[in-house]
Amino acid sequence: MPKRLLLVLVMALSTLGTTTAVAPQTATAATTTTAAYANQVEVAITKYTNLHRRSHGRGAVAVNSCVDKYAEAWAGHLASTRRFYHRSWRSITSGCHKSYASENIARYRLGTAGSTPDALGKRIVQMWMNSSGHRANLLSSKARTTGVGVRKSGATWYMVQNFAS
């Protein structure tokens, strides 16, 4: 196809409002916004976890960078594969040199209205508190540290909270 004809065709399509690419700034802004939202949800999950722990006579859990790394990686894996299952806690105990580890996972599909990061974090922790196994992990007297990972795939958010000591 001659270059002149191709240029005319591209110009004609652009006047119709047809676009086939996203500007790099838009993609970067969307990624940054999603990452910022995820980080805020992680903070909220830790905050509400500690509120529940304190109200049940447990000490607060502190964020541990190694445990957090495992939570972040697993949330990323779940989101990228769109699968939903627990992994062996042994990877955390051996990788972070801990004697105890447990894991809570959740996935949540936001509606078109969305949710603030704080409200989503609160909702997820409440869901875990309503599940006996997740509640036991969250309130365990063995837990001293935590790590939280939050990732998005489509409209679905995947949350992982690891506990360790």
Side-chain angles (χ1 to χ4, degrees):
M1 179 177 288
K3 287 184 181 181
R4 187 165 182 79
L5 181 58
L6 182 59
L7 179 61
V8 171
L9 179 59
V10 169
M11 289 174 54
L13 288 175
S14 67
T15 61
L16 293 173
T18 304
T19 58
T20 57
V22 176
Q25 300 91 338
T26 304
T28 302
T31 301
T32 301
T33 301
T34 300
Y37 184 91
N39 287 335
Q40 291 171 13
V41 173
E42 292 169 6
V43 168
I45 287 173
T46 302
K47 175 178 89 172
Y48 289 109
T49 293
N50 282 327
L51 284 173
H52 281 285
R53 287 180 61 83
R54 285 187 198 105
S55 72
H56 288 84
R58 303 288 191 261
V61 287
V63 175
N64 175 279
S65 61
C66 184
V67 177
D68 191 65
K69 176 181 76 169
Y70 279 87
E72 297 275 358
W74 194 243
H77 171 77
L78 295 176
S80 69
T81 61
R82 295 184 179 193
R83 296 181 65 204
F84 191 65
Y85 60 99
H86 289 281
R87 64 163 158 210
S88 170
W89 51 266
R90 288 183 179 96
S91 61
I92 300 164
T93 56
S94 64
C96 295
H97 308 289
K98 303 290 184 184
S99 60
Y100 164 82
S102 63
E103 176 176 83
N104 286 349
I105 61 174
R107 66 179 163 192
Y108 194 83
R109 186 173 175 90
L110 285 179
T112 55
S115 181
T116 67
D118 190 75
L120 180 57
K122 184 177 185 178
R123 187 173 302 133
I124 294 305
V125 172
Q126 190 57 56
M127 287 170 50
W128 286 332
M129 288 297 291
N130 293 337
S131 161
S132 62
H134 295 99
R135 179 186 179 95
N137 289 341
L138 201 142
L139 298 178
S140 174
S141 59
K142 295 178 186 176
R144 298 282 184 263
T145 61
T146 191
V148 181
V150 175
R151 294 293 183 274
K152 183 180 180 189
S153 180
T156 303
W157 289 87
Y158 293 81
M159 281 74 57
V160 175
Q161 184 172 32
N162 294 132
F163 299 95
S165 60

